[in-house]
Amino acid sequence: NEVRGNVPFQVNSPLVSKNPTVLNTSSTKLVKQFNNKVAVSANNFSNNDNIPTNDSITVTTRFSNYFAYDDGSAEGGYSIYLKTNASVALAYDLEKPDTIYGVEVFFNQSQQDVSTRNFDLMVWSGITSVNQQADNDRVQYRKNGVKPIYNNSINGFATILFDSAIVVGNRFFIGWEQLGQFILNIGLDENYYEGNKLKTNPNMFYKTDGTWKATEIPGALMLRPLLGQVRDFPASINKTLVSRADFNFNLYPNPTSSAFTIESNYSKNLTVYLFDLFGKEIMNEKMQNNVQQFHLPSLSKGIYIIQVIDANTGSKLSKKLIIE
């Protein structure tokens, strides 16, 4: 049988998006998944297309609330072997300052169960240069007395939340410090390649005997910072986020410098509050309409919290506002 109508190799034909995707920044979902399909149409060619099943390509794109160097599976483990006062730091780079409210860690049990041993979860705004006495580390946050949580499965990460969200700059480091001599084994993704060659992560460091060194072990440490949507707030801000399922609002422009607009699907008895990240109330104003603009006082550049409260039900919804 004759088969006709296949698309010629390396054909030049314009691609037209019939249904462009619009990112809804008001969504409270932390993970978004988009299935993007590219297909060719037989109308562009002189012959009929008799094999339509091979005329499309579908690619799935996921947007999550974390950064990662790993692919979610641990082929090995990474630990500091029999050293006291040891630390591990993993650097991440941002295009602009943001908030971090916790980390995800893959604890990979190895020679022994250390689930009862304590370590300190760390965030540094900077660490001392390698091969120098580490007397210039800039600790930004420390969570004391953390214990490993084993969940040995693909993407079996343990989530550790901070006491409150903190602001991180364009480059920051997450990791841990341990005082005792025990093997705190963190998952290591060994599918970390540059071309066809397994490589070491240039953003991964360890400290023993008071000196930071670049890691010599190839692979990606399975330690992920949770960024973006604020999930935990200063103590003075009530942590009830949403108790009314149909209560939502849009916040724009964001970033801003002088004013912002709240667009809500529910406008009766709503009050808009502005807090800094230490929980200090800066302003509050009642909403008069479903769409209302609010002018900002003179504030330093940085990240703030907008909280909208429904006086009828006590429902609260909070979002991050960046002031540039």
Side-chain angles (χ1 to χ4, degrees):
N1 295 331
E2 180 183 7
V3 177
R4 299 181 298 109
N6 288 332
V7 177
F9 180 63
Q10 290 184 339
V11 64
N12 289 323
S13 179
L15 295 177
V16 179
S17 176
K18 293 184 178 180
N19 299 302
T21 299
V22 177
L23 296 178
N24 180 10
T25 58
S26 66
S27 173
T28 59
K29 293 182 179 180
L30 295 179
V31 179
K32 297 175 182 293
Q33 178 171 305
F34 300 93
N35 294 320
N36 305 299
K37 183 177 182 180
V38 178
V40 294
S41 171
N43 296 330
N44 296 333
F45 309 102
S46 58
N47 298 323
N48 292 329
D49 184 4
N50 295 328
I51 310 179
T53 56
N54 67 348
D55 293 347
S56 64
I57 299 174
T58 300
V59 176
T60 299
T61 303
R62 290 173 59 86
F63 294 88
S64 301
N65 62 323
Y66 61 83
F67 286 150
Y69 296 110
D70 66 272
D71 64 5
S73 61
E75 290 76 35
Y78 188 93
S79 62
I80 305 298
Y81 187 69
L82 299 182
K83 287 285 187 178
T84 58
N85 299 321
S87 302
V88 174
L90 187 62
Y92 284 91
D93 295 297
L94 306 176
E95 291 188 1
K96 62 175 62 177
D98 208 327
T99 51
I100 173 173
Y101 62 86
V103 298
E104 289 186 341
V105 190
F106 191 105
F107 294 102
N108 189 13
Q109 185 171 336
S110 181
Q111 296 179 345
Q112 53 187 287
D113 182 348
V114 296
S115 59
T116 60
R117 302 298 297 267
N118 293 330
F119 67 94
D120 291 350
L121 184 66
M122 305 293 296
V123 179
W124 296 270
S125 59
I127 62 174
T128 307
S129 299
V130 297
N131 300 322
Q132 297 183 14
Q133 189 64 30
D135 53 6
N136 195 31
D137 296 344
R138 300 189 298 277
V139 176
Q140 188 170 0
Y141 178 81
R142 178 190 298 268
K143 187 176 182 68
N144 297 306
V146 180
K147 293 181 174 64
I149 303 172
Y150 294 127
N151 186 6
N152 291 320
S153 62
I154 295 177
N155 280 317
F157 286 79
T159 300
I160 303 173
L161 298 179
F162 297 164
D163 300 317
S164 63
I166 62 174
V167 179
V168 291
N170 296 79
R171 184 173 176 83
F172 66 96
F173 301 77
I174 60 174
W176 74 87
E177 286 187 355
Q178 60 182 85
L179 297 178
Q181 293 186 3
F182 61 94
I183 300 175
L184 178 62
N185 212 40
I186 304 299
L188 188 70
D189 173 19
E190 295 183 348
N191 295 318
Y192 190 67
Y193 289 89
E194 184 173 2
N196 295 322
K197 183 179 180 181
L198 187 66
K199 71 169 186 175
T200 57
N201 190 337
N203 297 299
M204 186 171 164
F205 308 90
Y206 69 98
K207 181 172 66 174
T208 57
D209 303 320
T211 302
W212 286 104
K213 297 179 181 179
T215 184
E216 302 95 356
I217 299 178
L221 190 65
M222 299 175 70
L223 182 61
R224 302 169 169 182
L226 298 171
L227 291 98
Q229 181 179 345
V230 179
R231 299 293 305 279
D232 199 12
F233 301 94
S236 60
I237 302 179
N238 193 304
K239 295 183 181 180
T240 303
L241 295 182
V242 183
S243 59
R244 178 186 173 96
D246 59 350
F247 171 40
N248 203 351
F249 71 89
N250 292 328
L251 169 65
Y252 60 87
N254 192 10
T256 186
S257 59
S258 59
F260 63 91
T261 296
I262 296 290
E263 181 179 354
S264 175
N265 61 341
Y266 180 79
S267 63
K268 295 181 179 180
N269 296 323
L270 295 183
T271 303
V272 177
Y273 293 85
L274 175 66
F275 296 93
D276 64 18
L277 287 179
F278 296 100
K280 178 183 177 181
E281 181 182 317
I282 298 172
M283 60 171 281
N284 71 78
E285 189 172 337
K286 292 186 179 297
M287 285 198 67
Q288 306 299 326
N289 304 288
N290 286 76
V291 180
Q292 185 170 332
Q293 185 181 64
F294 298 86
H295 293 279
L296 289 166
S298 179
L299 294 171
S300 301
K301 295 180 180 179
I303 299 176
Y304 296 80
I305 305 298
I306 295 292
Q307 187 176 79
V308 179
I309 299 179
D310 178 359
N312 292 332
T313 65
S315 300
K316 301 174 178 68
L317 186 61
S318 301
K319 295 186 179 182
K320 175 181 64 179
L321 177 69
I322 300 175
I323 297 179
E324 292 186 338

